[in-house]
Amino acid sequence: MALSLKKHPMPEQAPEVRAHNFEEVALGYDEETAVAEAERCLHCKIPQCRKGCPVGIDIPEFIAKIKERDFDGAIAKIKESSSLPAICGRVCPQENQCEKHCVLANKGEAVAIGRLERFAADREMAQNRPVEPIHYADDAKKVAVIGAGPAGLACAGDLARKGYRVTIFEALHTAGGVLSYGIPEFRLPKEKIVKKEIANLEAMGVKIELDSVIGQLYTVDELMQEEGFEAVFVGTGAGLPRFMEIPGENLNGVYSANEFLTRCNLMKAYQFPKYGTPIRVGKKVAVVGGGNVAMDAARTALRLGAEHVYIVYRRGEEELPARREEVLHAKAEGIDFRLLNNPVEVVGDDKGWVKAIRCIKMELGEPDASGRRSPKAVEGSEFDLEVDTVVMAIGQGPNPIVASTTPGMETNKRGNIVVDPETGATTKPGVFAGGDIVTGAATVILAMGAGKKAAAAIDEYLKNK
Amino acid sequence: MFKILEKKELSPGVFRMVIDAPRIAKKTQPGQFIIERVDEESERIPLTVADFDREKGTITLIFQAVGASTELLAEKKEGESILNLVGPLGKPSEVAEGIGTVVCIGGGIGVAPVYPIARAMKEAGNKVISIMGARSKEILIMEDEMRAVSDETIVTTDDGTYGIKGFVTTALGQLVERGEKIDRVYAIGPVVMMKSVADATRPLALPTVVSLNPVMVDGTGMCGGCRVQVGTETKFACVDGPEFDGHLVDFNALRTRQGMYRDMEAEAEKEHKCRIGLGRDS
């Protein structure tokens, strides 16, 4: 049988159906499809795919096990390197990571590594097997992890497996960070996937203290000097929303993407009034930005009943930073892309509500030194797009609350924590950091990779202490 | 889970709850607030900490049942629990000795958040003059508590049923008229009241601090739902405040943003009353 150059397609909900519900869009492989896809893997002698995985999963080995129908063996192999495979299989940008390096990608489509990872993880999760709890030594050392997002969860999982007593401090009432408040239900189911993965971590022996804002409730120094933690990992993410600083941004109907998505995902505002948190979505919505967060916000607005949703982005199609798959999903659902347009003002009515977003047309100049074509405004080309809701999804910065209350821990001029890239060690002894708080907004898997790296470095540090 | 140790109705629809929350009690300072969520389906709402007892490990919340979420909280009984309570949040009030004479103005339920500030100012050795305003005598709260921490306490009622007839600004005007040397004014209450105090003190160049209560979600600076216009800058009330220079706050914009969900709040309240079996016959 000739080798197929295409991936086995992922079954998904039809666009016209899914645009009106919050159910997961992609439905996952069944066993037969997974085995057939696994058979596409050539088992290269020197597997390139592993280079692209930030946590170094033994990809050919787990795929070989799927091919042999040893599904338990496959997930066991993945879990040697990854703490949250059901999540990563869904949200990793595999096209820029493992699948980018697959030799098949040169001729056709890469092996669907992400889909296979998801298959193995989902199959195991559906079996609800009890988690083996860790038996701690009496003199096990205590480590504090600040932030229950991907970096913190990965760091905590690895440290617990190494025998440390780990407590995660989380500011919100639910753990998961961006997995809970940011990425929508239709891409990453909360009850079925996120909560279960976190519950498994707790069953293993990781303690999670919710409603705990470090910097207010305890400082890092207090955790180390008074609460008995011998090392601290800071994984507080990039949770500070940016606004454009244009007139009219404080009008009613203007949201940051963080607020819009938090109301919907964490507070379940899409089930208002059964759930108490309201969300305001008009008939016409403009989402400003071109990243994954913008796609999530636009597709969420559609599902909340908006009749027309625009993506307003200052560069062109080629430059959209969002995953290609998300852009295609959004287009299939009917999102209207207004590229090479930049907002200059949010226009309000006399009652203080949004009625339009004023944009200026842009054109791309020659590539600069970095090879990026910078957009320039076309003079006199302003026009109004009539909308009643605006969501700003132009990026996030680091929340300063932990850094500003931790003397001796250096930050750079953007407010990100300065670390040794090899170990995640900050300038303060015993304190490590990783994920978006160090790199600025990046991906779930890079944050997990940083969490794992820091866990290894913390282990090393505490052994030598 | 956070247990409700005491519950009392101070005036119609206004409740005082003492809650077991040792971690928060240990750290709270005057001017700070908490965010609570009653149960799994509730929204998160901010409430100022009206009092705290570090030894007993308790904090006191005072709130008015004005919508679905506060009504749900008001239905909780002594011995029952609140699901989530996060805090302390926001910046503490700048309390110091040697400020001089501090006038603490509380409008309506705003007396509750003003009380810990007045107490701390008094403990720091300042002269505290308190002005408590209410629509009518029966809705006045915390009079004894305020008198206990103030050198002088003035009560005003809109309808003249108790104290001076008029608004808190009437009483403030009388203080100025009698030549009282005022070094700082705190004004907490409805937006209209804070605005009128700020308007009254601006021409006199009297430093005036107000505590703002915009809509909030997380309360930790991650969403900007609580953003307010202060001078030429946009600030997040949850982390930059909630206290700001009253002379710089755009109160009209604050009122507009507070009304963003008004119709939905009415819908939620109706839904809530249906669920608890009220209002079915009406």
Side-chain angles (χ1 to χ4, degrees):
Chain A
M1 193 180 78
L3 182 74
S4 164
L5 287 178
K6 287 203 173 284
K7 287 177 184 176
H8 286 78
M10 182 76 130
E12 51 186 41
Q13 284 194 70
E16 57 278 14
V17 176
R18 71 188 195 227
H20 305 288
N21 69 47
F22 278 86
E23 308 290 315
E24 194 171 16
V25 168
L27 301 171
Y29 283 164
D30 58 18
E31 286 186 8
E32 295 319 308
T33 318
V35 171
E37 181 64 25
E39 282 170 351
R40 291 183 66 229
C41 177
L42 299 176
H43 296 281
C44 307
K45 278 220 172 63
I46 304 165
Q48 301 297 310
C49 51
R50 286 190 75 176
K51 286 199 310 200
C53 176
V55 297
I57 294 175
D58 189 343
I59 294 166
E61 198 51 40
F62 98 75
I63 292 183
K65 293 202 182 297
I66 291 180
K67 202 156 85 178
E68 296 157 13
R69 294 183 177 268
D70 175 10
F71 303 128
D72 291 347
I75 190 65
K77 192 48 89 185
I78 294 171
K79 284 197 165 171
E80 286 174 9
S81 313
S82 171
S83 329
L84 310 165
I87 292 168
C88 292
R90 285 174 166 80
V91 303
C92 273
Q94 289 101 5
E95 68 275 22
N96 296 323
Q97 298 178 332
C98 52
E99 294 180 17
K100 185 179 174 183
H101 297 275
C102 173
V103 292
L104 288 186
N106 296 329
K107 299 256 179 199
E109 287 183 350
V111 174
I113 301 167
R115 294 174 186 176
L116 291 174
E117 180 187 24
R118 168 185 165 154
F119 162 77
D122 282 6
R123 188 186 165 281
E124 188 204 34
M125 208 174 268
Q127 294 172 345
N128 280 320
R129 268 181 293 201
V131 176
E132 187 80 21
I134 287 164
H135 298 286
Y136 289 106
D138 290 341
D139 60 348
K141 290 177 175 171
K142 281 170 69 183
V143 181
V145 169
I146 307 173
L153 294 173
C155 186
D158 276 20
L159 285 169
R161 276 188 285 270
K162 291 179 204 292
Y164 296 100
R165 285 187 196 278
V166 183
T167 303
I168 306 182
F169 294 93
E170 166 57 43
L172 291 172
H173 60 258
T174 303
V178 74
L179 309 171
S180 293
Y181 76 76
I183 303 174
E185 182 75 20
F186 55 84
R187 281 216 289 137
L188 183 62
K190 307 299 161 219
E191 299 294 327
K192 199 176 99 193
I193 305 293
V194 181
K195 284 202 173 155
K196 271 196 192 168
E197 292 261 38
I198 292 167
N200 285 347
L201 209 58
E202 287 184 276
M204 204 170 86
V206 170
K207 202 170 154 195
I208 303 182
E209 297 252 16
L210 300 171
D211 297 321
S212 304
V213 183
I214 301 302
Q216 293 274 34
L217 202 54
Y218 307 103
T219 62
V220 169
D221 284 327
E222 285 168 342
L223 287 175
M224 297 180 85
Q225 286 155 21
E226 293 166 23
E227 305 291 324
F229 292 98
E230 299 197 40
V232 174
F233 175 77
V234 184
T236 47
L240 191 78
R242 291 214 181 96
F243 288 90
M244 295 190 75
E245 292 172 32
I246 55 175
E249 267 186 312
N250 295 344
L251 287 166
N252 281 2
V254 182
Y255 285 101
S256 72
N258 266 9
E259 181 182 2
F260 191 73
L261 291 172
T262 298
R263 283 181 179 271
C264 202
N265 299 327
L266 183 71
M267 306 309 299
K268 298 193 163 50
Y270 62 92
Q271 294 182 56
F272 179 88
K274 179 175 184 287
Y275 282 78
T277 303
I279 194 162
R280 169 78 59 192
V281 177
K283 288 191 167 64
K284 291 182 174 182
V285 180
V287 177
V288 180
N292 288 319
V293 175
M295 299 307 134
D296 285 344
R299 297 172 70 196
T300 295
L302 199 68
R303 285 159 173 78
L304 287 167
E307 289 167 10
H308 203 102
V309 181
Y310 301 100
I311 287 274
V312 178
Y313 180 56
R314 66 195 180 122
R315 291 188 161 97
E317 174 99 26
E318 292 291 302
E319 289 78 21
L320 281 169
R323 290 186 69 186
R324 192 69 202 145
E325 187 187 342
E326 300 309 322
V327 173
L328 294 176
H329 275 143
K331 284 188 172 171
E333 288 164 14
I335 307 288
D336 185 352
F337 282 66
R338 297 298 175 102
L339 304 169
L340 290 166
N341 285 314
N342 200 28
V344 290
E345 184 181 347
V346 184
V347 186
D349 64 17
D350 53 3
K351 297 206 168 64
W353 287 81
V354 173
K355 67 171 187 184
I357 185 160
R358 185 160 299 156
C359 301
I360 190 161
K361 292 187 175 154
M362 308 293 281
E363 55 190 16
L364 292 179
E366 290 301 306
D368 59 16
S370 68
R372 211 165 141 96
R373 300 176 66 188
S374 51
K376 279 192 299 232
V378 179
E379 220 172 298
S381 66
E382 288 93 343
F383 66 100
D384 283 3
L385 210 52
E386 265 181 53
V387 291
D388 39 25
T389 307
V390 173
V391 182
M392 291 293 175
I394 55 163
Q396 295 98 239
N399 190 315
I401 192 162
V402 171
S404 66
T405 54
T406 309
M409 188 174 73
E410 256 178 59
T411 53
N412 65 18
K413 62 178 192 299
R414 296 177 146 217
N416 294 110
I417 298 175
V418 176
V419 302
D420 176 338
E422 292 309 309
T423 61
T426 70
T427 52
K428 192 178 175 75
V431 182
F432 297 73
D436 287 2
I437 188 68
V438 169
T439 57
T443 63
V444 168
I445 190 71
L446 282 172
M448 285 183 50
K452 290 181 77 71
K453 203 186 261 184
I458 289 169
D459 181 37
E460 196 66 20
Y461 167 81
L462 290 177
K463 273 184 189 155
N464 298 326
K465 197 178 158 185
Chain B
M1 297 289 270
F2 297 82
K3 198 170 176 185
I4 300 163
L5 302 176
E6 291 171 36
K7 178 190 171 190
K8 194 183 168 199
E9 190 163 10
L10 297 182
S11 70
V14 174
F15 297 87
R16 175 178 180 273
M17 278 183 180
V18 177
I19 294 167
D20 183 40
R23 292 194 314 177
I24 301 174
K26 195 176 156 197
K27 280 302 172 78
T28 301
Q29 296 178 63
Q32 293 189 299
F33 64 98
I34 56 92
I35 283 192
E36 67 85 25
R37 190 171 76 126
V38 176
D39 61 34
E40 207 47 61
E41 293 175 359
S42 309
E43 66 177 327
R44 296 165 65 101
I45 55 166
L47 294 169
T48 309
V49 179
D51 203 357
F52 49 86
D53 187 324
R54 301 207 199 281
E55 272 170 29
K56 287 184 188 156
T58 61
I59 62 167
T60 302
L61 303 177
I62 292 177
F63 62 94
Q64 189 162 15
V66 287
S69 295
T70 40
E71 278 166 12
L72 190 67
L73 183 58
E75 283 156 22
K76 286 277 165 189
K77 299 181 181 76
E78 266 180 22
E80 293 183 339
S81 293
I82 300 170
L83 182 58
N84 298 105
L85 201 60
V86 55
L89 299 171
K91 286 187 177 157
S93 309
E94 285 170 25
V95 177
E97 51 185 301
I99 294 172
T101 300
V102 182
V103 175
C104 293
I105 306 176
I109 193 172
V111 173
V114 140
Y115 168 72
I117 300 170
R119 186 175 71 175
M121 287 295 180
K122 181 71 189 159
E123 280 169 2
N126 297 291
K127 180 178 175 185
V128 173
I129 302 175
S130 293
I131 302 174
M132 308 170 60
R135 268 201 325 278
S136 186
K137 184 176 191 242
E138 66 272 14
I139 57 172
L140 190 72
I141 57 165
M142 297 181 77
E143 188 185 350
D144 293 343
E145 287 92 331
M146 284 303 279
R147 285 191 188 277
V149 299
S150 309
D151 294 277
E152 183 182 348
T153 305
I154 307 164
V155 176
T156 69
T157 48
D158 300 4
D159 60 4
T161 42
Y162 186 49
I164 297 172
K165 180 172 165 39
F167 302 118
V168 293
T169 40
T170 319
L172 181 63
Q174 290 177 1
L175 286 181
V176 173
E177 215 155 279
R178 81 178 187 205
E180 186 71 43
K181 188 192 150 295
I182 301 169
D183 297 288
R184 193 185 292 178
V185 175
Y186 274 85
I188 308 181
V191 176
V192 221
M193 179 224 114
M194 293 192 285
K195 184 177 188 302
S196 54
V197 171
D199 288 343
T201 58
R202 193 178 288 110
L204 305 169
L206 269 182
T208 300
V209 181
V210 295
S211 179
L212 305 185
N213 52 345
V215 173
M216 284 189 192
V217 186
D218 61 288
T220 63
M222 67 170 261
C223 86
C226 65
R227 59 197 191 274
V228 289
Q229 189 74 27
V230 182
T232 56
E233 289 178 280
T234 293
K235 297 277 189 187
F236 291 3
C238 72
V239 287
D240 299 322
E243 291 179 1
F244 293 100
D245 180 345
H247 296 157
L248 296 178
V249 169
D250 184 339
F251 290 102
N252 295 331
L254 174 65
R255 281 203 77 184
T256 304
R257 281 191 66 82
Q258 281 178 335
M260 184 155 161
Y261 300 100
R262 194 159 289 141
D263 53 342
M264 298 180 83
E265 281 159 4
E267 187 191 341
E269 191 175 0
K270 213 172 113 197
E271 166 80 13
H272 174 69
K273 286 193 168 145
C274 287
R275 274 200 280 171
I276 60 168
L278 291 176
R280 272 199 192 126
D281 303 330
S282 59

